[in-house]
Amino acid sequence: MTYQNVYINTIGCQMNVYDSDRIVQVLEPVGYRKTHNLEDADLVIVNTCAIRAKAEQKAFSFVGRLARMKRDNPELLIGVGGCVAQQEGDAILSRMPHVDLVFGTHAIARLPHILSRVKQDRVRVVDVAQSTAIDEIEGGGGFPVDSPISRFVTIMQGCDNYCTYCVVPYVRGPEMSRRPERIIAEIEALVQAGAREVTLLGQNVNSYGHKEGLPSFAELLAQVNEIQGLNRIRFTTSHPKDMSDDLMEAFGKLDKLCPHIHLPVQSGSDRILKRMNRKYTRQLYLERIERLRRIRPDIAVTSDFIVGFPGESPSDFEDTLTLVKAVAFDSIFAFMYSDRHIAAASRFSDKIGEDEKKLRLQQLLKTQESITLTKNRALVGSRQEILLEGSSHRPGLAEHASEGPQWTGRTPGNKIVNINTDRNRASREAFTVGQVVPVCIEKAYAHSLQGVLMQEELSNGGLKGNTCHAA
Ligand code: 5AD
Ligand code: SF4
């Protein structure tokens, strides 16, 4: 079979990374193979994100640049998928005459059919139909495409929460959970193909299975924990209002569940949380964190924030800063509020100016920066088990300045560690991606840690403990 090449540009979240893998899988049986080289492409797909205006602009500017390629090669096919495709539909075809197909978030399984219409009937196709049954959306399955060590697995689609700033419920549809046996089968297949870590994905994984009467998320995690050959389980994203006691307790029970929770809080002000329709208070959030830390003292906590939400006063913003200090997150993602015309907050008055949003963002990030560094420094002298993901040569970066080649991997708490193997020259080549090795943390930076392999422990299997007394 002679293959044609498909090039995919993935913009946005991990869910899109997973969807792009599915796109490659559904296209394979109809004669397409993934290429990393845009010039070689017979089909270019842009998997778009609509969460903030910036992501949307990025998608349109990339698609815009493809017009020239299409002029030079009229046989080239161009497809726009994902959340912007879902949101804009036909408008993309009118705005961009060189685009051949627009497919929404529920249309991936129908791509072969869409493509055959484009090719045989020489028509431009828009498919933004949304399904109410998860079985219609599934198909393909997240099987290995690139790095097989750490894989994403979508366990549910959509969202019912309607946070007032957010496009997700509109562009990804209502919440629907996949059946556990399908999820387990997919993870088993990934492990067979070499995966050692999976990250279970959903907009709000804590409410997994609720609507359908399926096992709870904590029960699903317990099932995944039984899979032979899998080392690590992660999940994202959680919603503070739906963090059940069972889920929190899972952190004390399941040996493969990594001690890390990404729990977006968005704001530290009750007034703003209410306007965002988040359905929890600052107090409840703080209580959940306290409880999680009691169950699993080494748990890493990360979060998302929006600054400059409509009506956010200086004192509301101050509440966010005090929350950041009170929780002492391991790291955070912070965004300036971005108006999305589908979402309710776009119709709120009291919009905050761009300059003020920028100032608040800088202040928030600065506050967190020193907390992150303090947290990372506290790990110096600790023994960490690192899942090796690859080797790195980054001589140009001061933060990673080192004498020679390094291995990189992550701690259970999801921190990146560069492992200096200069002092283990003999054993350096003996390691393989996917191995879990004991490492002593020696240095801490703002975005990563540096460590050294614990040679004695590796050679005689002894010396287990939590500290390693780094120099
Ligand atoms: N503006 C800014 N940030 C947003 N997010 C979601 N919608 C918006 C928006 N309209 C952020 C939230 C969410 C993360 C994925 O993106 O913090 O948790
Ligand atoms: Fe968006 Fe809120 Fe749903 Fe998260 S929970 S996807 S922020 S609507």
Side-chain angles (χ1 to χ4, degrees), residues 114-270:
I114 298 171
L115 262 173
S116 83
R117 284 188 57 208
V118 171
K119 284 159 111 169
Q120 278 156 29
D121 307 343
R122 297 260 160 192
V123 286
R124 302 166 82 203
V125 177
V126 177
D127 181 348
V128 288
Q130 288 198 319
S131 307
T132 47
I134 188 84
D135 291 350
E136 291 170 20
I137 306 172
E138 286 195 45
F143 297 106
V145 176
D146 283 330
S147 156
I149 295 306
S150 182
R151 302 288 310 179
F152 299 127
V153 174
T154 291
I155 63 164
M156 61 209 292
Q157 290 274 350
C159 182
D160 291 337
N161 287 309
Y162 291 92
C163 301
T164 53
Y165 51 81
C166 188
V167 295
V168 169
Y170 306 95
V171 294
R172 289 213 173 247
E175 186 180 297
M176 282 181 261
S177 297
R178 295 179 66 197
R179 277 177 286 152
E181 57 277 15
R182 288 214 175 191
I183 297 168
I184 299 292
E186 185 170 323
I187 300 173
E188 282 171 347
L190 292 170
V191 170
Q192 280 278 309
R196 293 292 163 262
E197 174 178 278
V198 288
T199 304
L200 307 183
L201 292 179
Q203 306 300 338
N204 176 13
V205 292
N206 305 162
S207 63
Y208 170 83
H210 261 235
K211 264 171 126 174
E212 294 84 357
L214 293 171
S216 70
F217 184 55
E219 285 160 349
L220 178 70
L221 282 174
Q223 286 186 36
V224 178
N225 198 60
E226 296 302 313
I227 296 177
Q228 297 287 319
L230 182 67
N231 288 97
R232 291 181 168 185
I233 308 166
R234 302 183 185 280
F235 60 83
T236 195
T237 289
S238 299
H239 196 307
K241 78 176 165 64
D242 295 314
M243 277 290 285
S244 68
D245 288 349
D246 281 357
L247 178 56
M248 289 191 267
E249 275 152 22
F251 280 102
K253 287 185 189 148
L254 305 178
D255 60 326
K256 294 178 185 170
L257 185 57
C258 287
H260 171 216
I261 181 113
H262 183 63
L263 196 60
V265 61
Q266 314 297 0
S267 168
S269 152
D270 282 340

Side-chain angles (χ1 to χ4, degrees), residues 290-400:
E290 202 184 304
R291 172 107 199 256
L292 280 163
R293 284 181 168 154
R294 239 182 290 132
I295 293 167
R296 188 80 210 235
D298 62 342
I299 196 163
V301 184
T302 58
S303 196
D304 289 347
F305 287 85
I306 295 176
V307 299
F309 185 79
E312 185 187 71
S313 69
S315 120
D316 292 320
F317 179 59
E318 189 57 36
D319 288 345
T320 293
L321 295 178
T322 59
L323 179 104
V324 164
K325 289 179 199 154
V327 174
F329 293 101
D330 288 80
S331 65
I332 64 166
F333 295 99
F335 310 99
M336 291 189 282
Y337 168 75
S338 170
D339 232 8
R340 313 281 55 219
H341 68 87
I342 309 184
S346 67
R347 292 177 292 280
F348 290 5
S349 53
D350 319 327
K351 298 275 165 66
I352 310 292
E354 288 301 304
D355 289 348
E356 181 59 28
K357 284 196 276 192
K358 268 187 202 142
L359 281 176
R360 291 183 191 179
L361 181 68
Q362 280 161 8
Q363 208 182 337
L364 174 57
L365 291 175
K366 196 156 171 270
T367 305
Q368 178 58 37
E369 204 177 274
S370 59
I371 299 170
T372 301
L373 200 54
T374 309
K375 287 247 156 187
N376 286 352
R377 284 193 180 133
L379 294 176
V380 171
S382 72
R383 171 192 179 278
Q384 298 284 331
E385 294 194 347
I386 308 301
L387 174 65
L388 296 179
E389 288 174 24
S391 46
S392 74
H393 298 259
R394 304 201 205 158
L397 287 177
E399 175 163 317
H400 301 279

Side-chain angles (χ1 to χ4, degrees), residues 392-393 400-407 418-429 431 442 450-453 455:
S392 74
H393 298 259
H400 301 279
S402 100
E403 307 81 359
Q406 298 185 327
W407 276 97
N418 292 301
I419 304 164
N420 190 340
T421 48
D422 278 358
R423 276 174 276 159
N424 310 93
R425 228 171 253 284
S427 58
R428 185 160 69 214
E429 271 81 36
F431 295 103
E442 293 190 317
Q450 191 174 312
V452 63
L453 288 165
Q455 200 64 35

